[in-house]
Amino acid sequence: MAETSKPKSFQEIILRLQSYWAAQGCAIMQPYDMEVGAGTFHPATTLRSLGSNPWAAAYVQPSRRPTDGRYGENPNRLQHYYQYQVLIKPSPPDLQELYLGSLAAIGIDMEMHDIRFVEDDWESPTLGAWGLGWEVWCDGMEVSQFTYFQQVGGHDCHPVSGELTYGLERLAMYVLGIDHVMDMPYNDPQAPIALSYGDVFRQTEEEYSRWNFDVANTEVLLRHFEEAEAECEAILAQDTVDPKTGKRIVMAHPAYDQCIKASHMFNLLDARGVISVTERQAYIGRVRTLAKKCADAFVTTRAGGWTEETAA
Amino acid sequence: MPDLLIELFSEEIPARMQADAAEALKKRVTDGLVEAGLTYAGAQAFHTPRRLTLALEGLLAESPTTREERRGPRTDAPEKAVEGFLRGAGLTRDQLTEREEKKGTFFFAVIEKQGRPAAEIVAEVLETTIRTFPWPKSMRWGTGTLRWVRPLHSILCLMTTEAGSEVVPLDIDGITAGDSTRGHRFMAPARFSVTGFEDYAAKLKRAHVVLDAAERADHIWNDATNAAFAAGLEVVEDRGLLSEVAGLVEWPVVLMGEIGADFLDLPPEVLQTSMKEHQKFFSVKNPSTGRIERFVTVANRETADNGATVLAGNRKVLAARLSDAKFFWENDLRVARAEKMQPWLDQLENVTFHAKLGSQADRIRRIAALAREIAPHVGADPDMAAQAARVAKADLSSEMVYEFPELQGLMGRYYSEAAGLAPEIAAACEEHYSPLGPSDDVPEAPVSVAVALADKLDTLTGFWAIDEKPTGSKDPYALRRAALGVIRLVQNNALRLHLGNLIDKQNVRRETALPPIDETALADHFRIVKASHDLTEADNKAIADRIADAPSEQESKITDDSVDIRADLLAFLHDRLKVHLRDAGIRHDVIDACLAMPGNDDLTLLVKRAEALSAFLATSDGENLVQGYKRANNILTQAEQKDGVAYEFGADRKFAETDEERALFDALETARPQIDAAVEAEDFSAAMTAMAALRAPIDAFFEAVQVNADNQVVRRNRLNMLHTIRETCLKAADLTKLEG
């Protein structure tokens, strides 16, 4: 296969995934403009996996996991990293083959590597979501998550979406044969100004690690959490008919933004080490309640499959 | 007679579910066939990551035609009864016959079931099996509603006779049964047709699929041990891992690699846990040093470079994992050596154990106080026990335990050693979580025992106080396990402790340390509990610090709460003890008889008593004495109720009329001091032996004497005598509670 030529840089791998999934008919979307813990939080996945309308999207999502910060020193761990996310509804029967095709597209030679589908049931307690699937291993390394969504925001998924999530740094390091993430070529190493991943991100990893672990003001974070929670509820409590335009406008997305915000505040509080095991459950429960309400709202929008006829 | 081959081909089935699923397929299909009248000669089930396979030999080609005659209602029965009979038989009235029998004329129906071809039955049974398959977790996919463990792609269902093979017609939600399957996902993905089981197994092997899981596991184990042996090493045996790995591959290829030299100094448990949990690698150790030096991984394919790329990739992944572990280990060691784990303990101040039970640090302070108190009873130094309790959970803040929670305790031991603490303390860090299950080892080292017991009692007391007790199958805080832990710690070490007292004091400690919700209520509580227990200096001071003027209406409620917690928790411990002793062959009513005695919160005493009573009841003296006691007790109780008098004045020998009465007087006089002395010495066997001597005189007494004599003086005297019997028999256990 011609496309198995080795990519040269992190960005080339992303570009190849973009063109591969574009060729498979996915809408190539852009990252969501909020801080999220994983690509799943993007409304293009969370909300669009609900309802009966078909959907096919792929995108890069910057993701933040404050507890994983290592000041840029650890070869694999980052508090800010990229996920590549694909969501297709209904899940096509050849999704595994399509997925394997994407690995070939980024230069993984199936004849030389050991690819395995290892059980990994996915559950997001914060999103009230779960699905069954695998983590995909390439020579013992987890390169992707593969999930058939069964429930999101407390709603059964009909039809079922197939979700693929690639941890881009890890995957790229593997494909490029790099041992330390900071040494990975970000652009073409032959470019006039060749940049490594470290050139781009070492500074921010250091700064955010310090802030996440030791400086972030927990009282402020807690207040933000509570404000986001209140705002989410307030948005959803609005009348479905907008008094100004007279149109039916359910504000599922703005409410969901507040849910995302609350979730991120919780992650930051967690990184600051001020949340105990039992409290954690309570916080997760609060975010889940928001996520469920947003899901309830989304399925009453047109994008969520609502029509005058079904409502009648 | 035809053979039947079924294969259900899907996306990858979780390794842990495969074996049960293959068995379920076999059971449900064969049960269904047999129920429909199709017997078979033999059945074999197989599983790989992508397929469940069932091969049946010697199936009947069709189910036999059966005739059954059924008798219905009498011909003069009401119309409703006849209609019901017709419905049940699936017949109409004109198909019934009448026949006269002894009891009248009855309707008779002949129900004939026509034999059906096997294929028809197989199709029905397989469809039902697939639609109701007992997967632990199943899913839908695409737009369909069918559930399977992962998307089901194809069904092979083939009947084979000497004349050839034929597909059993079957369609389930658009999946049509055929005669073909696929080989290895990467090495031989093309679809191919088969003619029967042998052809199927042979073609699969050519297509790089080993159908039999046991064969895959043997292959893995042989290749792994051979590779290790050739390098002078040995594979650490792990059956669970072996069967899991055999369920992850259709074509196992064993590869052995080296662990980087940088990581060989990590504790072996860390290496093993990291490799197994994250990578599903086997550990390979050097038998002379015990060090783990290499790993074995199992790939699912052959490659042109004999696995070199695959192994290099695996090694790199492992290095990344282990460099994480090493980073944690080195950071942790620094904290342990330089700061004696203090920062970890400080951190636990900010970690809530439970919203209503305070922080982890609060909990540790309570456990330390209790461990200090328990120490003298278990032969431990109180200061050392308290210190061990203070550091036993420090490792919860360590980076290694954050990453590998299953290493909690063990890391505590390593870090305590690094901090230069006494070996007893280091051991307690590791052992204080034990025993975790009914067969787990029970700590014996005194300091470990003190901390282990204090930990569990504090957990139980705390959750009881906030009313978070286990209900039904729900036990989120593993309180049953904690209770069994207390029981086994006490029993295995023959500890003499009054748990009730410890529970009360722990309650006070909990309340004094918690920020009071209602100052005055708490103050009351302290004053009351303080009065009823001998508390330590620290407890007293804490209480004294908080006591304030308080209205008295709170008092009774809080006191009752405190008593309730103790009584209820003890009852729970006793229940768990019953379950535990049932396995040792001690009946629950025997335990009830012993629970009714004083000091039942001393579990060692309780068990000793129960064992003696259980042994006693196994003898004929024991059993008969219990009957004699019950007879005496019944007569006495009736008389007491009737007369409204308690006959407890002691009988007088001079009113005895018969030899049997006098003999009983003698026996009681001899036995009573013996029983008292034995009970005092807690020698319950001796007490019961002394009681056994009463059996013959009591039997003889009831044989010869009428208790309710006409002479009121004699009657009263005899009732008083029965009272003495009752009192004597109750000295070692409450025989009233015995059943039968």
Side-chain angles (χ1 to χ4, degrees), chain B residues 366 369-370 373 505-513 539:
Chain B
R366 290 196 299 270
L370 184 57
E373 189 173 334
K505 289 193 198 169
Q506 208 58 3
N507 251 326
V508 178
R509 290 196 184 98
R510 180 180 52 76
E511 303 234 349
T512 48
D539 292 329

Side-chain angles (χ1 to χ4, degrees), chain B residues 151-471:
Chain B
L152 180 64
H153 279 270
S154 66
I155 298 171
L156 184 160
C157 191
L158 200 60
M159 302 259 296
T160 311
T161 59
E162 278 157 25
S165 55
E166 227 173 290
V167 171
V168 174
L170 174 69
D171 184 295
I172 299 180
D173 286 21
I175 306 171
T176 308
D179 65 353
S180 68
T181 185
R182 291 179 190 278
H184 189 279
R185 183 188 276 286
F186 299 104
M187 298 181 78
R191 194 161 269 289
F192 58 86
S193 296
V194 301
T195 56
F197 178 67
E198 270 169 37
D199 185 44
Y200 169 78
K203 280 182 176 158
L204 273 184
K205 194 151 272 183
R206 279 205 292 281
H208 294 92
V209 175
V210 180
L211 182 60
D212 185 355
E215 191 184 329
R216 295 195 299 273
D218 285 350
H219 174 91
I220 293 168
W221 187 247
N222 286 338
D223 280 13
T225 47
N226 285 343
F229 180 77
L233 303 170
E234 61 188 37
V235 184
V236 178
E237 192 170 335
D238 188 334
R239 296 256 139 216
L241 183 60
L242 181 59
S243 77
E244 184 182 359
V245 170
L248 288 173
V249 293
E250 292 198 315
W251 193 250
V253 175
V254 166
L255 301 168
M256 184 168 72
E258 293 192 10
I259 297 168
D262 282 358
F263 308 119
L264 294 177
D265 291 331
L266 282 168
E269 296 89 345
V270 171
L271 283 173
Q272 221 173 316
T273 305
S274 175
M275 295 204 293
K276 175 182 172 168
E277 296 302 319
H278 291 315
Q279 303 304 134
K280 307 195 196 300
F281 287 173
F282 291 92
S283 295
V284 179
K285 75 174 176 199
N286 184 331
S288 56
T289 60
R291 282 209 322 189
I292 290 168
E293 297 180 350
R294 297 196 190 187
F295 66 88
V296 159
T297 182
V298 182
N300 187 32
R301 67 162 305 150
E302 293 163 11
T303 61
D305 62 355
N306 291 318
T309 307
V310 175
L311 190 59
N314 274 286
R315 206 181 299 139
K316 187 175 271 188
V317 178
L318 180 64
R321 288 286 187 190
L322 293 182
S323 60
D324 247 11
K326 189 177 155 76
F327 176 76
F328 301 145
W329 170 243
E330 285 169 356
N331 282 354
D332 287 349
L333 278 182
R334 225 179 351 261
V335 176
R337 286 194 184 123
E339 303 178 74
K340 308 293 171 214
M341 307 192 278
Q342 193 56 46
W344 295 340
L345 294 173
D346 295 344
Q347 246 169 292
L348 292 178
E349 297 282 355
N350 298 322
V351 178
T352 309
F353 169 60
H354 185 287
K356 293 179 183 166
L357 294 175
S359 69
Q360 282 283 13
D362 290 333
R363 175 173 171 233
I364 288 167
R365 276 187 285 274
R366 290 196 299 270
I367 296 173
L370 184 57
R372 175 188 292 284
E373 189 173 334
I374 293 172
H377 301 278
V378 302
D381 176 64
D383 286 341
M384 193 178 268
Q387 196 191 357
R390 270 195 299 274
V391 297
K393 296 189 190 295
D395 67 347
L396 293 181
S397 307
S398 71
E399 295 182 23
M400 188 69 87
V401 174
Y402 184 86
E403 185 66 12
F404 297 110
E406 65 267 45
L407 292 179
Q408 70 175 16
L410 180 80
M411 297 322 295
R413 193 190 81 202
Y414 280 113
Y415 298 147
S416 293
E417 282 166 357
L421 297 174
E424 293 92 328
I425 293 175
C429 291
E430 181 177 4
E431 292 174 352
H432 84 281
Y433 292 106
S434 301
L436 288 172
S439 53
D440 199 23
D441 285 344
V442 177
E444 289 171 3
V447 175
S448 303
V449 172
V451 181
L453 205 50
D455 186 14
K456 290 166 183 62
L457 279 174
D458 180 70
T459 300
L460 287 166
T461 310
F463 283 106
W464 242 255
I466 62 169
D467 203 21
E468 288 278 1
K469 303 167 204 173
T471 50

Side-chain angles (χ1 to χ4, degrees), chain B residues 36 38 61-65 114-121 124:
Chain B
L38 282 187
E62 55 180 43
S63 61
T65 298
Q114 203 56 43
R116 298 164 65 209
E120 218 178 286
I121 298 173
E124 281 171 19

Side-chain angles (χ1 to χ4, degrees), chain B residues 715-731:
Chain B
R715 176 174 176 266
R716 271 200 302 276
N717 196 52
R718 286 177 183 166
L719 287 169
N720 278 324
M721 168 102 94
L722 293 190
H723 183 269
T724 311
I725 293 174
R726 171 157 77 185
E727 193 195 45
T728 309
C729 287
L730 292 181
K731 281 179 187 295

Side-chain angles (χ1 to χ4, degrees), chain A residues 119-298:
Chain A
E119 177 190 14
D120 189 34
D121 299 344
W122 172 80
E123 188 184 9
S124 170
T126 38
L127 290 176
W130 69 276
L132 299 188
W134 311 271
E135 45 183 55
V136 185
W137 286 13
C138 177
D139 301 338
M141 186 175 72
E142 182 193 336
V143 289
S144 306
Q145 290 274 339
F146 192 127
T147 308
Y148 292 101
F149 279 3
Q150 301 295 301
Q151 222 180 47
V152 172
H155 291 255
D156 278 345
C157 298
H158 267 298
V160 168
S161 301
E163 183 210 41
L164 306 171
T165 304
Y166 308 69
L168 281 173
E169 283 81 358
R170 204 145 35 134
L171 180 61
M173 282 167 69
Y174 194 78
V175 171
L176 301 171
I178 304 293
D179 290 328
H180 198 297
V181 62
M182 294 297 169
D183 299 335
M184 177 162 64
Y186 195 96
N187 61 358
D188 188 337
Q190 253 64 71
I193 303 173
L195 294 171
S196 72
Y197 194 92
D199 294 331
V200 181
F201 285 118
R202 184 177 282 110
Q203 184 64 36
T204 51
E205 279 302 306
E206 218 173 64
E207 292 178 14
Y208 279 102
S209 293
R210 181 173 177 198
W211 182 72
N212 291 337
F213 287 130
D214 300 316
V215 178
N217 182 325
T218 55
E219 278 166 35
V220 172
L221 294 177
L222 189 58
R223 199 169 68 233
H224 285 347
F225 179 93
E226 274 158 5
E227 284 167 358
E229 186 182 40
E231 179 66 4
C232 180
E233 308 258 10
I235 294 171
L236 293 175
Q238 295 295 314
D239 198 335
T240 51
V241 177
D242 171 27
K244 194 165 84 191
T245 62
K247 286 183 177 174
R248 184 176 183 284
I249 306 179
V250 175
M251 294 169 287
H253 287 80
Y256 181 63
D257 284 353
Q258 298 302 319
C259 170
I260 293 177
K261 204 173 278 181
S263 172
H264 182 61
M265 289 303 129
F266 161 71
N267 289 340
L268 287 169
L269 284 163
D270 194 25
R272 289 285 279 112
V274 295
I275 292 181
S276 72
V277 181
T278 36
E279 278 181 310
R280 174 187 264 112
Q281 291 314 314
Y283 276 105
I284 289 172
R286 285 163 74 178
V287 178
R288 181 170 56 240
T289 304
L290 300 182
K292 282 190 168 163
K293 287 183 176 171
C294 293
D296 294 347
F298 179 73

Side-chain angles (χ1 to χ4, degrees), chain B residues 71-151:
Chain B
R71 193 177 79 173
R74 280 160 57 131
T75 46
D76 56 359
E79 194 56 24
K80 282 250 189 269
V82 181
E83 277 169 19
F85 178 63
L86 286 171
R87 245 195 327 275
L91 297 175
T92 53
R93 187 139 202 166
D94 56 319
Q95 290 171 296
L96 298 182
T97 53
E98 294 178 19
R99 207 159 67 221
E100 205 178 308
E101 292 200 333
K102 266 187 206 162
K103 292 179 179 170
T105 308
F106 287 86
F107 283 118
F108 281 85
V110 172
I111 299 163
E112 200 175 276
K113 264 196 200 146
Q114 203 56 43
R116 298 164 65 209
E120 218 178 286
I121 298 173
V122 166
E124 281 171 19
V125 168
L126 184 55
E127 171 153 10
T128 308
T129 302
I130 290 174
R131 290 196 186 279
T132 61
F133 203 79
W135 291 111
K137 262 189 201 171
S138 62
M139 54 164 273
R140 293 171 287 104
W141 59 94
T143 50
T145 54
L146 185 65
R147 301 188 77 92
W148 200 245
V149 64
R150 293 293 183 275

